Amino acid sequence: MNVVVCVKQIPDPAAPGALKPDTHTLDRSGKLIMDDSDNYGVEMALQLAGGEGDEVTLVSMAPGGETSGLRTGLAMGAAKAILVSDDALAGSDALGTAKVLAAAIGRANPDLVVMATESTDGYTGTLPVQVAELMGLPSVTFAKAIKVDGSSVSVERQTEAGYDEVTVPLPAVVTVTAGVVEPRYPSFKGIMAAKSKPVDNLTVSDLGIETSAVGAAGAGQEITNVAPAEERGAGEIVVDEGDGAGRIVTFLEQLKVV
């Protein structure tokens, strides 16, 4: 079984983030790391593809040919990776990114595609289902457990009331929640081995996608302005002099809470 995991490489959250002054988009020019949420997807894929002949392939889209985050996934145990890097991709929205990832994933001919529910630097939560729709595959979101049985995959899908049991035919796209498994730490041997594992570098033209359909040129949205969030104002201290309860009720009525 060939399992593909989509891995997003993001600026280190521990470092102060910065926006590009011209586009107001996140500056990704420095070293990138693998999104923490993707650790769970990589680990789940490695556990599912544990048989002889099984393989895990990572797919990512990042600027500047950046592979640092991919090497982390390779060090965990993935066999190879596909990286799409092209200046034309700058400014891509979720749909443009989905078009690129869907085309790249298709080259790997996967039996199962595993993705995080959402990235920690974007939080749209729409990308996985867009990829599934573009590839014509069934999708199941918020998986807390996954089991592959022959030509189908059974998923325990987390809900507010518990979980649903969903079964769909393979190939399929499944998104996993944080905590679904305990990600392994790359061993020294794995880190060294990752340096020689193949990473297929592709451009937009390699995928047969028109540059006008991706990047800022193909985006359906544009950030026109960015402003700092308003600072929280000082609260009002109520000293109870026998009328505290009434003053609180009056305050809540002004907020139309009661």
Side-chain angles (χ1 to χ4, degrees):
M1 182 174 67
N2 181 22
V3 183
V4 165
V5 185
C6 284
V7 171
K8 188 169 187 182
Q9 301 180 88
I10 65 172
D12 190 343
L19 299 177
K20 293 183 177 180
D22 53 341
T23 62
H24 305 299
T25 56
L26 188 62
D27 186 355
R28 303 177 186 274
S29 59
K31 181 180 178 180
L32 305 179
I33 65 172
M34 185 168 74
D35 194 323
D36 278 347
S37 60
D38 290 325
N39 280 293
Y40 302 100
V42 174
E43 179 61 37
M44 175 58 76
L46 291 171
Q47 292 186 18
L48 292 172
E52 184 177 353
D54 293 347
E55 192 172 66
V56 173
T57 303
L58 309 179
V59 173
S60 184
M61 180 180 118
E66 181 63 44
T67 61
S68 298
L70 284 176
R71 294 297 176 188
T72 300
L74 293 172
M76 290 174 67
K80 58 185 178 180
I82 297 174
L83 172 66
V84 184
S85 187
D86 195 313
D87 291 342
L89 295 173
S92 291
D93 60 5
L95 180 57
T97 302
K99 293 176 181 177
V100 172
L101 292 178
I105 291 168
R107 293 171 69 98
N109 193 29
D111 299 298
L112 177 65
V113 180
V114 178
M115 305 178 71
T117 300
E118 58 187 359
S119 64
T120 55
D121 67 337
Y123 291 107
T124 68
T126 61
L127 184 63
V129 291
Q130 288 177 327
V131 169
E133 180 67 20
L134 290 168
M135 298 185 70
L137 301 178
S139 64
V140 184
T141 56
F142 299 102
K144 64 185 291 287
I146 304 174
K147 181 180 179 182
V148 175
D149 184 12
S151 60
S152 64
V153 58
S154 298
V155 176
E156 293 181 4
R157 183 180 184 275
Q158 185 174 319
T159 69
E160 293 182 355
Y163 66 89
D164 297 329
E165 294 181 349
V166 183
T167 300
V168 297
L170 293 174
V173 176
V174 178
T175 72
V176 297
T177 59
V180 63
V181 286
E182 184 64 32
R184 69 192 70 184
Y185 289 100
S187 64
F188 177 75
K189 181 179 179 180
I191 294 172
M192 297 305 294
K195 295 180 179 180
S196 60
K197 289 183 178 179
V199 177
D200 190 9
N201 289 274
L202 304 175
T203 63
V204 172
S205 61
D206 292 330
L207 298 173
I209 299 175
E210 295 291 335
T211 55
S212 60
V214 296
Q221 60 188 31
E222 179 185 2
I223 302 174
T224 59
N225 185 45
V226 176
E230 294 184 6
E231 294 184 4
R232 181 179 296 179
E236 179 183 354
I237 299 176
V238 176
V239 179
D240 189 2
E241 297 179 349
D243 62 346
R247 292 175 64 185
I248 292 174
V249 170
T250 300
F251 176 71
L252 294 176
E253 287 176 341
Q254 291 175 348
L255 297 177
K256 297 182 179 182
V257 175
V258 295

